[in-house]
Amino acid sequence: MSGRIESRWVDAETVGLSEEQLLIYRSQRLGSDLRITNYGGGNTSAKVRMADPLTGERVEVLWVKGSGGDIASAGLDGYATLYLDKVLALERRYRGREHEDEIPGLYPHCTFNLNPRAASIDTPLHAFVPFRHVDHMHPDAVIAIATAADGEAVTREVWGGRVGWIGWQRPGFDLGLKIRAALRANPQLEGCVLQNHGLIHWADSSKACYERALALVNAAIAWLERKPAHLFGGPKVSARTHEERRAFVAALAPELRGRLSRQQRKVGHLDDSREVLDFVSSQWCERLAAIGTSCPDHFLRTKIWPLRVELDATTTPQQLVARLDPLLDGYVAKYRAYWEACRKPDSPALRDPFPVVLMLPGIGMVSYAKDKAFARQASEFWVNAIHVMDGAERFGGYRGLPDAEAFSIEYWLLEEAKLKRLPPERPLSRRIALITGGAGGIGKASARRLLQEGAVALLADVDAAALDAAVAELAKEFGRDAVRAVVADVRDEASVNAAVERVLVEYGGLDLAVLCAGLASAAPVEETTLELWRKNLDVLATGYFLFGREAFRVMKRQGLGGSIVVIASKNALAASPNASAYCTAKAAELHLARCLALEGAAHGIRVNTVNPDAVLRGSKIWQGSWRTERAAAYGVGEQELEELYRKRSLLQQNVYPEDVAEAVAWFAGEKSAKSTGNLLNVDAGNKEAFPR
Ligand SMILES: NC(=O)c1ccc[n+]([C@@H]2O[C@H](COP(=O)([O-])OP(=O)(O)OC[C@H]3O[C@@H](n4cnc5c(N)ncnc54)[C@H](O)[C@@H]3O)[C@@H](O)[C@H]2O)c1
Ligand SMILES: [Zn+2]
């Protein structure tokens, strides 16, 4: 159990706040503590007297968290505003539980002040409680009681009759009426436990409502803490070391992701924190995982059950790979049978039947979903479920919902309608990219472009400081889930392999590799030392080979095809004076791309080359001696160089990193599905480099 939750309400911070601002203040404090509610879970409301924009009269407005979003981060625009009297009047239109799904279609007619935010299906829980402030939360400690065999009796014991008990019922209009009835029967109630679901409570001020949330949840925590801990029956398999766990997951990921992505590609997430490891490695994990997760909010994101895999302390990833097909087939068959058994004539079609969450004893919990945030949240939901199971197993024992009820939530037509309203996915969503030289000019621009198209990206670079800055910049733009970094030296085989292992641990697979780490050097051939020659060949030719080979291996094992983009140079095609080592290495990269294209075609792995020329802006190459040397070679000042290249080009244009990134994105995506072994010059036109 998690210890007492301390108040984070500071009176001085709330001076002068309006009722609705106080609602936001309270909601942020409730939502940012995962012990009080899970991500996206629960909702809060306030009933506020406001001037009607139409009549100027003061009316009661229900501010209630809108559909979707998360109370920790939602602002006022995340809340629906409804005329309270109109919502209450819906009772006259309500035709009984069989028809309650028609009510949400009427909420837009209750909208106050043209607010476009859609009201959630939990709106009646708030409307029918005659207190000014209402919170509906999913606290682990309360759900432990709500899911335990003798939860109702324990509710009386813990809160001494101040908290009611409402038997399991899907959220909606009728649940709102039930809560009102409980309150009418016992006006002293401070809240109700909703069986297999969560808590609802109320008060007449925002602060009192917040304090009540803490008091009720803390009472549950304190009660549970007095029960003996059970450690889920103790370990069945001992946890492997951090390095062993990561190596295991990386070795498993390509084959696992390939199979889980049969219908749609997925992005992975690993949680091997102590509490997760203890649970998945425990004696009771098998029994508890089979009961399924703990809160209706989870079902859409995690599916009702995880796939728990039988592993002992010595099972190798290869041994598990050999068992993957029957394991996944078994899960899919079970999930399909659940859908068949529970569906109604109008139920939505079977969704992707593969597991979202996998529990690997001794290793951790791996989840795969449509993007990194969904995969992470699925695993966070399971962490909530582990807390709930921990609590419920201290007394009475954990009980899940009957399959038919879980199904009615997972395949709820109202949820299906929400899924259908989601914006279309971007061209590279569900794709995992690795970019070498990702901290450099062209590498970072390419990463940004792939991220804009919806991919997630791991940047690899030898320059740790530049890498930190690049990742911070991109994470700010695209969110912390979308980008990761690894320090790697492309010349070193072990370092390259570790970087690819990293992308497999962080994102669970690999679809796109952009080989871009590089440098440039200039010297007449007689002055080209062996050291300089080797430096160019090591970073460029060998570096591209090492990363290309490792990416190729992973893509082939995944069986989902892939796209490798080689950033070579105009100099791969056209020789430049006084740069023999660089030009030769660039030609080697181009030819390497063709060789990989040949071998990759049978596996759907496409390999194409982009040839930039004279990208001065943003490039670190052009900040060093290369710039001086080039300026000297053409007999111009360094400041004139950009102009010189512009004039030299056929199109009379400068080339920028974003221009190169555009070509990278095209080769990365499906629009170039029919191209491999190809090349695209991004050089503003240079007849020496015309391909032939
Ligand atoms: N800028 C141009 O005019 C131009 C023209 C043609 C080709 N290119 C090629 O484009 C690629 C990117 O160049 P850029 O202009 O972005 O340069 P850049 O210097 O801005 O970026 C290159 C990145 O590669 C990294 N790197 C260098 N050695 C490495 C190593 N051993 N291991 C890992 N990372 C290493 C650097 O730290 C840097 O962040 C290079 O291959 C370059 O040859 C550039
Ligand atoms: Zn809920």
Side-chain angles (χ1 to χ4, degrees), residues 450-617:
L450 299 180
L451 288 160
Q452 282 167 352
E453 296 282 287
V456 294
L458 177 101
L459 315 185
D461 205 292
V462 77
D463 183 342
L467 201 52
D468 281 350
V471 166
E473 186 184 325
L474 294 172
K476 207 165 152 210
E477 244 174 278
F478 300 98
R480 67 191 170 96
D481 286 313
V483 46
R484 295 281 188 277
V486 62
V487 177
D489 187 335
V490 299
R491 296 168 298 183
D492 179 56
E493 189 171 16
S495 175
V496 169
N497 294 352
V500 174
E501 185 171 306
R502 186 68 170 275
V503 82
L504 294 173
V505 170
E506 294 290 346
Y507 290 126
L510 182 63
D511 303 295
L512 315 171
V514 182
L515 308 181
C516 188
L519 47 81
S521 76
V525 68
E526 295 152 276
E527 289 162 32
T528 299
T529 60
L530 179 59
E531 194 193 350
L532 189 68
W533 173 264
R534 283 192 173 139
K535 186 172 153 192
N536 279 271
L537 275 112
D538 281 355
V539 174
L540 298 169
T542 307
Y544 278 41
F545 156 70
L546 286 174
F547 252 110
R549 183 185 66 178
E550 210 50 30
F552 189 102
R553 285 172 171 161
V554 168
M555 289 173 184
K556 184 173 163 185
R557 284 169 53 200
Q558 255 181 181
L560 300 170
S563 175
I564 300 177
V565 184
V566 167
I567 308 297
S569 164
K570 174 208 79 181
N571 290 131
L573 295 163
S576 275
N578 301 338
S580 54
Y582 179 76
C583 293
T584 306
K586 284 291 167 188
E589 289 174 358
L590 174 62
H591 220 62
L592 170 71
R594 292 165 168 162
C595 296
L596 296 185
L598 261 185
E599 292 186 44
H603 311 288
I605 302 169
R606 300 185 294 112
V607 189
N608 293 288
T609 301
V610 175
N611 289 327
D613 186 34
V615 184
L616 277 67
R617 194 217 282 162

Side-chain angles (χ1 to χ4, degrees), residues 79-283:
Y79 281 70
T81 47
L82 306 166
Y83 289 97
L84 181 62
D85 57 352
K86 293 192 185 191
V87 179
L88 297 177
L90 289 175
E91 195 174 355
R92 294 203 293 272
R93 295 291 304 275
Y94 175 57
R95 302 194 289 142
R97 282 190 70 185
E98 289 303 295
H99 306 282
E100 71 173 337
D101 282 1
E102 61 194 29
I103 297 288
L106 298 173
Y107 294 143
H109 296 282
C110 306
T111 303
F112 172 83
N113 201 19
L114 305 179
N115 181 351
R117 172 63 62 184
S120 107
I121 42 176
D122 285 340
T123 299
L125 277 63
H126 297 264
F128 287 111
V129 170
F131 285 82
R132 302 207 77 79
H133 296 269
V134 181
D135 297 328
H136 160 52
M137 300 284 106
H138 296 159
D140 294 338
V142 176
I143 301 181
I145 294 167
T147 53
D150 39 7
E152 186 168 5
V154 171
T155 296
R156 276 192 301 275
E157 188 182 329
V158 174
W159 293 286
R162 290 177 293 123
V163 173
W165 171 269
I166 311 264
W168 161 255
Q169 184 166 325
R170 223 169 58 168
F173 206 77
D174 202 70
L175 187 57
L177 298 179
K178 287 247 165 66
I179 294 166
R180 182 182 66 182
L183 240 173
R184 282 182 178 165
N186 180 2
Q188 308 305 319
L189 284 185
E190 296 175 2
C192 287
V193 171
L194 310 176
Q195 187 184 12
N196 279 94
H197 181 173
L199 174 70
I200 183 164
H201 63 269
W202 42 78
D204 265 329
S205 77
S206 231
K207 184 179 178 186
C209 203
Y210 175 75
E211 287 176 341
R212 181 156 290 174
L214 265 51
L216 296 178
V217 177
N218 279 332
I221 291 173
W223 189 87
L224 289 168
E225 276 177 347
R226 286 197 295 272
K227 303 280 158 203
H230 46 66
L231 307 172
F232 297 109
K236 182 175 181 191
V237 176
S238 51
R240 304 193 195 193
T241 67
H242 182 265
E243 285 70 32
E244 288 166 348
R245 298 198 297 269
R246 306 269 148 157
F248 190 100
V249 168
L252 175 68
E255 282 81 5
L256 178 60
R257 176 167 186 255
R259 285 164 172 80
L260 292 178
S261 301
R262 278 195 190 125
Q263 293 199 354
Q264 280 181 303
R265 267 171 221 269
K266 310 213 173 88
V267 179
H269 179 77
L270 166 69
D271 185 340
D272 61 347
S273 60
R274 192 73 244 169
E275 60 180 340
V276 165
L277 257 179
D278 284 349
F279 178 76
V280 300
S281 312
S282 73
Q283 300 282 354

Side-chain angles (χ1 to χ4, degrees), residues 265 424-431 449-455 512 665-666 668-671:
R265 267 171 221 269
E425 291 190 21
R426 285 170 291 168
L428 293 181
S429 72
R430 301 168 177 271
R431 301 291 201 286
R449 194 69 193 83
L450 299 180
L451 288 160
Q452 282 167 352
E453 296 282 287
L512 315 171
W666 190 75
E670 288 304 302
K671 285 184 184 158

Side-chain angles (χ1 to χ4, degrees), residues 50-73:
M50 304 185 86
D52 187 327
L54 205 56
T55 63
E57 283 170 23
R58 295 188 75 73
V59 291
E60 286 284 356
V61 177
L62 175 65
W63 286 76
V64 56
K65 198 209 79 168
S67 180
D70 179 56
I71 57 167
S73 55

